[in-house]
Amino acid sequence: MIKLENISKKYGAHELFSNFSAEFEEHRVSCILGASGVGKTTLINIIAGLNKPDGGIVRFGSQEGELRGSYVFQEARLLPWLNVHDNLDLVLKNARKPLASEKADDLMRVKHGRGDEHFTKEERIELIRKQLRLVELEPYEFSMPSELSGGMVQRVALARAFAFPADILFLDEPFKEQDPKLKEELYESFFRAYKNDEAGRTVLFVTHDISEALRLADTIYVLAGTPAEIVGKFDRAEFSDELKNKIKELL
Amino acid sequence: MNDGLSRKTFALWARRILVVILWIAIWEAMYLLIGRDIYFPSPLSVVKTFFTLLAEKSSWTIIGMSAYRTLFAVFASALLGVLFGMMCGRSRVLYDFINPLMVILKSTPVVSVIIIAIIWFRSTDVPIFSGFLMCFPIVFTATVAGIRSADPKLLEMSSFYKVRSFDTLRFLYLPSAKPYINASVVSAIGICWKAVAAAEVLSMPRLSIGANLYFAKTSLDPALLFAWTAVIILLSFVFETIYAKVSGYDKT
């Protein structure tokens, strides 16, 4: 369980969060749905540790502290002078291998029992090929990012995030800029990578798009108001067209 | 398409050659107007002297020595400039410590550097030191700017994925700074040739272009002065072009 306790965050006079508490379950895709400017990105950045809250605590499992995450940003954020393979390899070189016995039931692996071993070169090559296959970019392993389309580079970013041995995967509207047809392809890539993921990763997904949330999420958390609150939580079993309208009203 | 392109290139070169011819004509006209070889040499006498120079074996030793001093100074300033620039680009404290020195160096007249160097060093090393001090701040400042230009979004990504700091330096900071560094080294080469020649005139190493410039002055031979100057200009151009080619930097 990821627990946020009494989080507060201000930007100048603008109070984004005040005594905000929430819980997100592990090993599923949790979607934080909200209008632009409500503080979705700030919220996952606080969980990811990229943004410090003014007050409050983020706990992973029963502990407080740092975790290992991977992140798909709104932009692909690939190094333009490295090819696809080397872009993935860059983040894997320093990554610690998960222990063989490690089952994904304790999020606090960084502090106890995370293997000290790095991936070997062969393991990294295999891992990179596997992830590229899942996002259907295997033939482009040695292409430069500039040679790929916008949808393709975002798929590379997705492959990088899944290749990295993270406990939590953060996605901050990574498909925002794409057209509907491309979005569908990216969703497919996401599902394929997610289903093939042995760790059964915890995913925190931020979006303003209701259809996207209904398509991808196991659980939707609707974020609204100033300061922001979770105004609704819905599980996949409840998803329907009616729910869509209900969420629209909440937003 | 191909035909149109070659016609375009032809037109471009024709225009360039025409410009050169025009300037030589202006030079010749000025020579005729002044009418005294001792003040102003004719283009023809300079070209003649230039080729006489190149035909002499000793000239090549002189050119070799001056080129060695310049290259040494450029190499040292590039190496240390990039090294210090990288450290200061990432550490504000270090930058604030080093930068005043760079600001002063940039405004210090080259002759002041040369004269103090003459007191400190052997005559053959004075040009190297002077060239180095003139070029080091240029490469340093450019590297700092280049390091600071690294995309904060990429930096956030690399710190989030806990990329090793050496890899971040090598794959993120350095490539971001590369165009800045290359541009500064190209301009440093030109400046270094000028600084080295000036230092050679004052410190008078036995084998140096600068000493020969001085000799041309004392023997009242402006054609020789122009010819040696042409050698420096050409060498500077050649070195810049070679560096640009090797580093993949687009001079235009």
Side-chain angles (χ1 to χ4, degrees):
Chain A
M1 195 76 87
I2 304 164
K3 279 188 185 163
L4 280 71
E5 293 173 7
N6 304 317
I7 298 289
S8 55
K9 181 78 187 174
K10 264 188 194 174
Y11 283 111
H14 188 61
E15 202 167 29
L16 276 180
F17 297 102
S18 166
N19 271 322
F20 178 92
S21 296
E23 291 181 1
F24 301 98
E25 279 167 67
E26 293 162 38
H27 314 306
R28 47 195 310 160
V29 182
S30 299
C31 196
I32 300 163
L33 179 66
S36 318
V38 75
K40 308 181 293 279
T41 301
T42 306
L43 185 64
I44 68 160
N45 282 351
I46 285 172
I47 302 170
L50 285 173
N51 212 326
K52 291 268 165 286
D54 300 332
I57 292 173
V58 180
R59 290 179 200 277
F60 303 104
S62 55
Q63 319 245 353
E64 177 190 345
E66 203 188 338
L67 84 165
R68 198 156 55 164
S70 52
Y71 205 126
V72 186
F73 301 91
Q74 288 186 10
E75 325 78 19
R77 300 200 188 179
L78 304 176
L79 301 189
W81 36 76
L82 294 184
N83 66 31
V84 168
H85 178 100
D86 291 344
N87 259 292
L88 266 65
D89 199 45
L90 182 74
V91 303
L92 291 177
K93 264 193 275 185
N94 197 31
R96 301 256 193 279
K97 232 161 99 172
L99 293 172
S101 64
E102 199 170 41
K103 263 288 149 209
D105 37 33
D106 182 9
L107 277 173
M108 270 310 293
R109 280 183 233 147
V110 178
K111 283 198 173 149
H112 22 228
R114 171 72 76 181
D116 273 339
E117 224 181 305
H118 292 287
F119 291 102
T120 64
K121 194 161 174 50
E122 290 70 34
E123 286 171 328
R124 295 199 315 258
I125 291 171
E126 198 186 324
L127 191 56
I128 291 166
R129 298 243 158 100
K130 181 191 147 201
Q131 291 302 338
L132 287 179
R133 199 158 47 238
L134 289 171
V135 297
E136 294 177 310
L137 284 178
E138 220 187 3
Y140 299 95
E141 185 178 351
F142 299 105
S143 301
M144 300 305 281
S146 58
E147 295 162 358
L148 306 178
S149 70
M152 284 155 105
V153 289
Q154 205 50 283
R155 263 144 70 196
V156 176
L158 209 55
R160 176 175 64 190
F162 274 103
F164 191 75
D167 308 310
I168 303 188
L169 179 58
F170 298 94
L171 295 101
D172 182 13
E173 306 207 46
F175 313 134
K176 199 180 183 178
E177 305 295 331
Q178 315 297 339
D179 63 55
K181 189 171 158 281
L182 253 168
K183 264 189 189 171
E184 196 49 47
E185 281 175 39
L186 286 163
Y187 297 159
E188 289 301 323
S189 290
F190 172 78
F191 278 127
R192 219 166 320 134
Y194 185 68
K195 292 209 176 96
N196 276 278
D197 191 31
E198 286 136 26
R201 246 174 283 218
T202 304
V203 177
L204 283 183
F205 193 102
V206 154
T207 187
H208 68 280
D209 181 341
I210 300 175
S211 323
E212 187 166 285
L214 291 168
R215 180 92 167 77
L216 296 176
D218 291 319
T219 311
I220 296 177
Y221 299 81
V222 182
L223 197 67
T226 329
E229 297 282 348
I230 288 180
V231 293
K233 179 189 168 195
F234 308 98
D235 281 322
R236 178 154 281 278
E238 308 167 53
F239 290 180
S240 63
D241 285 340
E242 279 163 57
L243 183 67
K244 200 169 176 175
N245 293 327
K246 195 173 162 194
I247 291 174
K248 260 184 201 155
E249 278 167 36
L250 284 172
L251 290 172
Chain B
M1 177 78 192
N2 212 339
D3 213 38
L5 203 72
S6 67
R7 203 173 302 148
K8 245 188 191 164
T9 334
F10 177 75
L12 185 74
W13 277 101
R15 205 164 61 219
R16 279 178 183 169
I17 290 166
L18 210 69
V19 169
V20 172
I21 291 172
L22 194 66
W23 277 109
I24 292 174
I26 292 171
W27 180 358
E28 179 71 26
M30 279 176 72
Y31 164 70
L32 291 173
L33 203 71
I34 294 166
R36 292 182 71 175
D37 279 11
I38 206 159
Y39 288 140
F40 200 76
S42 75
L44 194 68
S45 66
V46 171
V47 170
K48 258 196 213 155
T49 318
F50 180 79
F51 283 109
T52 327
L53 265 183
L54 294 193
E56 274 171 49
K57 221 176 137 197
S58 63
S59 304
W60 289 96
T61 323
I62 291 164
I63 290 170
M65 281 307 290
S66 287
Y68 148 74
R69 293 188 190 100
T70 307
L71 281 185
F72 194 107
V74 168
F75 182 74
S77 49
L79 195 75
L80 292 175
V82 169
L83 203 70
F84 277 83
M86 282 192 321
M87 292 192 293
C88 293
R90 299 191 58 189
S91 157
R92 190 76 219 184
V93 178
L94 205 58
Y95 176 80
D96 287 341
F97 177 67
I98 304 261
N99 196 46
L101 198 67
M102 297 297 141
V103 172
I104 291 169
L105 266 183
K106 268 193 227 165
S107 309
T108 306
V110 63
V111 285
S112 306
V113 172
I114 295 166
I115 289 167
I116 193 73
I118 289 173
I119 299 172
W120 290 349
F121 301 109
R122 291 184 308 161
S123 68
T124 184
D125 294 336
V126 172
I128 298 176
F129 179 75
S130 313
F132 168 74
L133 275 199
M134 287 297 111
C135 297
F136 176 67
I138 298 169
V139 180
F140 171 83
T141 311
T143 308
V144 170
I147 294 289
R148 287 190 184 153
S149 78
D151 185 350
K153 289 184 167 175
L154 289 180
L155 288 170
E156 187 180 56
M157 180 280 293
S158 92
S159 89
F160 192 79
Y161 281 108
K162 301 192 170 58
V163 174
R164 246 183 247 131
S165 28
F166 177 76
D167 285 341
T168 308
L169 193 70
R170 183 168 159 213
F171 295 114
L172 216 168
Y173 281 112
L174 263 187
S176 308
K178 204 178 148 201
Y180 292 77
I181 294 171
N182 283 339
S184 75
V185 171
V186 166
S187 68
I189 290 172
I191 288 164
C192 200
W193 268 107
K194 287 186 264 187
V196 164
E200 285 174 346
V201 170
L202 290 174
S203 73
M204 298 288 273
R206 200 169 53 82
L207 294 170
S208 67
I209 296 180
N212 280 279
L213 288 173
Y214 186 78
F215 174 71
K217 180 221 140 195
T218 49
S219 58
L220 294 177
D221 188 349
L224 190 61
L225 184 70
F226 272 54
W228 275 116
T229 306
V231 170
I232 296 174
I233 294 168
L234 263 173
L235 284 171
S236 178
F237 179 77
V238 166
F239 283 20
E240 278 174 33
T241 310
I242 290 174
Y243 180 82
K245 272 264 174 346
V246 170
S247 68
Y249 170 71
D250 187 4
K251 264 214 287 185
T252 54

